Amino acid sequence: MAYLTWLADILRKEGLQVQEEGGWQQRGHGDMADIRGVLLHHTAGAAEGNYPSLAIVRDGDASLPGPRANLGVARDGSWIVIAAGQAWHAGKGGPWQNVPKDDANQYMIGVEAESVGTRFDWTPAQIDSYPRGVAALLRHVGLGADRALAHKEWAPERKTDPAFWPGDMAGFRARVAEVLGGAPAPGPTPPPPGGGQAPNFRTWGTQVRVRKDVKLDAPVVTTLAGPTPVFIEFQRRGETVNAEGFSNPFWSFVPALGGFISNIFVDHPDSFLPGVPER
């Protein structure tokens, strides 16, 4: 397949903001083969700045030369086109589908999205843009949402990225499938997100909003695409929420998501969740 010089055009056709790094059409560690998926990463970079990891992703360092990804996703949701040729992003892992063991770089487009990787810090712009861009790439090469793979699924013993994505990879792939116009596709199932702790409850419903505070007009932090395992740290009385014929005044704080969900969307018969402190 040679170099993927179509990357910028395909992302722009999706309506995404695109920044082209100079020389990207010739940058790479050799030709790409036939594309068999998109491998998703977080940068584990600085907490401030729009895409502070650009230099290391593009140029690498003495330990691993760049490019280290084909594409980046900045905090403002823009896509940065870095390399059309092979990028050294996957490392040892697999095999997966028809991607050979320890040999993903030539078969998979690597995307490094800016995130510290140790807590929930995905911006609303990234939550919108990241799956939309992945869907555009997969559509172009004729693949479905099941071919969006997390680095932690490729190399589960050594990688955690992309960490703290709302709904984890099931939610990510569901959104990709939605953009592609199909039903959510099955895929590898990693351990669900817990903000460093095991999930103790599960949400129900689709498009459940996570808010900054315990009231309906509080800013939305993110939206859960579907049922999601969550770790609830504490619960708090707030504005009463009505849904499906039920009412509930309690809200649960999910540290991995950085916000509150109404207890009405927690899959438990009690309004006040047992075993969870009130604060």
Side-chain angles (χ1 to χ4, degrees):
M1 185 174 279
Y3 277 40
L4 309 180
T5 55
W6 45 264
L7 290 172
D9 289 341
I10 291 303
L11 293 168
R12 284 198 178 96
K13 285 181 181 178
E14 185 62 32
L16 299 165
Q17 182 180 345
V18 176
Q19 170 187 326
E20 299 181 52
E21 278 299 295
W24 72 268
Q25 295 95 335
Q26 294 81 41
R27 185 176 291 118
H29 299 288
D31 289 349
M32 298 292 292
D34 57 302
I35 300 303
R36 302 177 184 180
V38 179
L39 196 58
L40 315 181
H41 308 259
H42 67 232
T43 59
E48 302 295 330
N50 193 38
Y51 198 73
S53 301
L54 176 58
I56 191 70
V57 174
R58 181 190 60 211
D59 305 325
D61 59 19
S63 67
L64 184 67
R68 295 185 178 184
N70 302 97
L71 300 160
V73 183
R75 290 192 167 105
D76 66 358
S78 60
W79 283 72
I80 303 169
V81 188
I82 297 168
Q86 282 189 50
W88 288 346
H89 60 95
K92 292 183 178 181
W96 171 76
Q97 301 275 17
N98 55 347
V99 180
K101 180 178 173 64
D102 302 336
D103 191 23
N105 292 332
Q106 65 175 315
Y107 297 107
M108 302 193 76
I109 299 170
V111 185
E112 285 278 3
E114 195 65 65
S115 170
V116 295
T118 55
R119 56 179 171 81
F120 177 82
D121 69 339
W122 298 105
T123 67
Q126 287 175 310
I127 291 170
D128 172 69
S129 178
Y130 201 173
R132 284 177 56 204
V134 171
L137 299 170
L138 292 171
R139 182 189 299 116
H140 182 73
V141 296
L143 297 174
D146 62 315
R147 293 306 182 103
L149 187 74
H151 201 195
K152 62 187 176 184
E153 295 173 316
W154 171 253
E157 294 183 357
R158 61 185 184 86
K159 292 296 178 180
T160 63
D161 55 325
F164 301 103
W165 187 266
D168 207 43
M169 283 306 297
F172 194 104
R173 280 188 282 265
R175 177 58 182 147
V176 171
E178 185 179 9
V179 175
L180 291 173
T189 304
Q197 302 184 69
N200 52 4
F201 290 94
R202 184 178 181 86
T203 68
W204 67 273
T206 60
Q207 303 303 308
V208 173
R209 293 177 177 87
V210 182
R211 297 186 181 274
K212 273 291 187 183
D213 203 354
V214 292
K215 50 188 179 180
L216 288 168
D217 62 355
V220 176
V221 175
T222 188
T223 302
L224 302 180
T228 305
V230 291
F231 171 76
I232 294 174
E233 182 178 328
F234 63 88
Q235 53 194 330
R236 178 176 297 169
R237 183 181 290 272
E239 185 173 351
T240 297
V241 177
N242 301 292
E244 302 290 331
F246 297 95
S247 297
N248 197 322
F250 292 102
W251 295 66
S252 290
F253 181 72
V254 182
L257 303 179
F260 293 87
I261 56 173
S262 168
N263 279 14
I264 208 164
F265 296 112
V266 178
D267 192 6
H268 194 279
D270 294 345
S271 296
F272 188 84
L273 302 175
V276 178
E278 182 177 5
R279 294 182 189 172

